Each structure stands twice: as structure tokens, then as C-alpha cells.
């Protein structure tokens, strides 16, 4: 299974929408250089499929890449179906899926606008095994 990167997004603080940038640098066992969610833990990088964002658009929301605080927005990969432990390459980097979805302790702005949010159900998290630069257009390859 393969897809592509639509956007790469960062934020300086947690709890904010992320801003699309031209490229990001993934650091081994840390995450995205300069992103608030990077660190020595299992949720170093967050990913969300464009298909999930499109569901929210279909509900009438004006949302785009990064609005769900995902670091990497993908297209063509059913992220939510990947089991924990799945490895994937994105550009030159290697990631391992560590968590599917998350519990939202505080309702985000998207939830208040729509009454729902896709990130807790369809977003995934990964740790960085091999670092590298990732940018829109890079291939996302799920490894067997």
C-alpha cells in the first residue's frame, strides 16, 4: 500500500492547529524538529489522511491540512487500518505506528464547530526510527 504526502505541518505550542510548511526534518526518537509535540515519547509524529479531512469538509466545515493538529497529511493510505507496529517509509525516513486515535480530554475548536472531530478516531501516531526530510509529494510506503 502506498500513498503520498499532501502537507507537512508544525506548531510551536500544543493545543493549536498546525501550520503547513514547505518541509520538515524528522529526528530519530524525537519527532519533527521545532514542533511542540516532538520529544522522547510514543507520539512523536501525528498523521491524518486527507480523506478524513474531506469528511469534515462534507459536513460543511471550512478546514484544511494542519487544522486537526496533524504533522503529516497523507492521501491514498487508510491510516486508521494500520496495526500498531506497522512500519512505513515517508521520503527517506522510517516510522513505526505506535497508536491509533487518541482520547480528547478537552474539546477542540473543530469539535465545537462541527460536533465531531476526526483526529481522535482516524489520526495515528508514530515514532521516528530513521530521520530525514519530508515534504509534500513524498511517497508514503507501507512496509510488509
Amino acid at each position: 500500500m502506498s500513498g503520498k504526502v499532501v502537507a507537512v505541518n508544525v506548531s510551536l505550542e500544543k493545543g493549536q492547529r498546525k501550520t503547513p510548511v514547505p518541509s520538515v526534518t524528522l529526528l530519530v526518537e524525537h519527532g519533527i524538529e521545532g514542533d511542540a509535540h516532538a520529544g522522547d515519547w510514543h507520539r512523536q509524529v501525528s498523521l491524518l489522511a486527507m480523506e478524513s479531512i474531506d469528511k469534515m469538509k462534507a459536513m460543511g466545515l471550512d478546514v484544511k491540512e494542519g487544522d486537526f493538529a496533524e504533522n503529516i497529511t497523507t492521501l491514498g493510505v487508510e491510516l486508521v487500518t494500520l496495526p500498531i507496529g506497522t512500519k512505513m517509509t515517508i521520503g527517506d525516513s522510517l516510522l513505526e505506528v505506535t497508536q491509533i486515535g487518541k482520547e480528547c480530554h478537552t474539546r477542540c475548536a473543530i469539535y465545537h464547530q462541527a460536533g465531531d472531530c476526526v483526529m481522535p478516531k482516524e489520526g495515528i501516531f508514530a515514532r521516528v526510527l530513521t530521520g530525514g526530510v519530508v515534504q509534500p509529494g513524498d511517497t508514503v510506503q507501507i512496509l510488509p
Side-chain angles (χ1 to χ4, degrees):
M1 179 184 336
S2 69
K4 71 175 187 169
V5 174
V6 175
V8 291
N9 316 291
V10 296
S11 64
L12 297 177
E13 295 180 31
K14 292 183 178 182
Q16 296 182 338
R17 294 177 185 206
K18 294 189 182 291
T19 302
V21 294
S23 66
V24 294
T25 300
L26 275 66
L27 304 175
V28 175
E29 293 300 345
H30 182 74
I32 292 178
E33 186 175 43
D35 185 69
H37 290 89
D40 184 19
W41 68 323
H42 71 288
R43 286 173 28 185
Q44 296 169 358
V45 179
S46 58
L47 299 93
L48 184 67
M50 192 68 212
E51 293 87 345
S52 296
I53 295 171
D54 288 341
K55 285 182 192 177
M56 299 306 286
K57 286 182 177 181
M59 293 174 66
L61 288 182
D62 180 20
V63 290
K64 62 188 181 322
E65 302 85 355
D67 284 351
F68 296 94
E70 80 278 4
N71 291 123
I72 300 175
T73 313
T74 65
L75 182 68
V77 178
E78 290 184 54
L79 297 173
V80 73
T81 67
L82 301 176
I84 290 173
T86 298
K87 291 183 175 64
M88 69 178 83
T89 58
I90 303 180
D92 294 330
S93 64
L94 175 66
L95 287 84
E96 179 183 36
V97 176
T98 56
Q99 184 174 326
I100 309 296
K102 68 176 188 131
E103 183 178 348
C104 276
H105 299 287
T106 58
R107 299 290 186 205
C108 66
I110 296 294
Y111 182 88
H112 289 298
Q113 286 177 341
D116 197 10
C117 179
V118 293
M119 191 64 186
K121 293 175 275 204
E122 300 183 24
I124 70 168
F125 299 89
R127 66 187 190 107
V128 181
L129 302 179
T130 303
V133 174
V134 174
Q135 59 193 1
D138 282 352
T139 298
V140 177
Q141 182 69 47
I142 306 306
L143 303 178

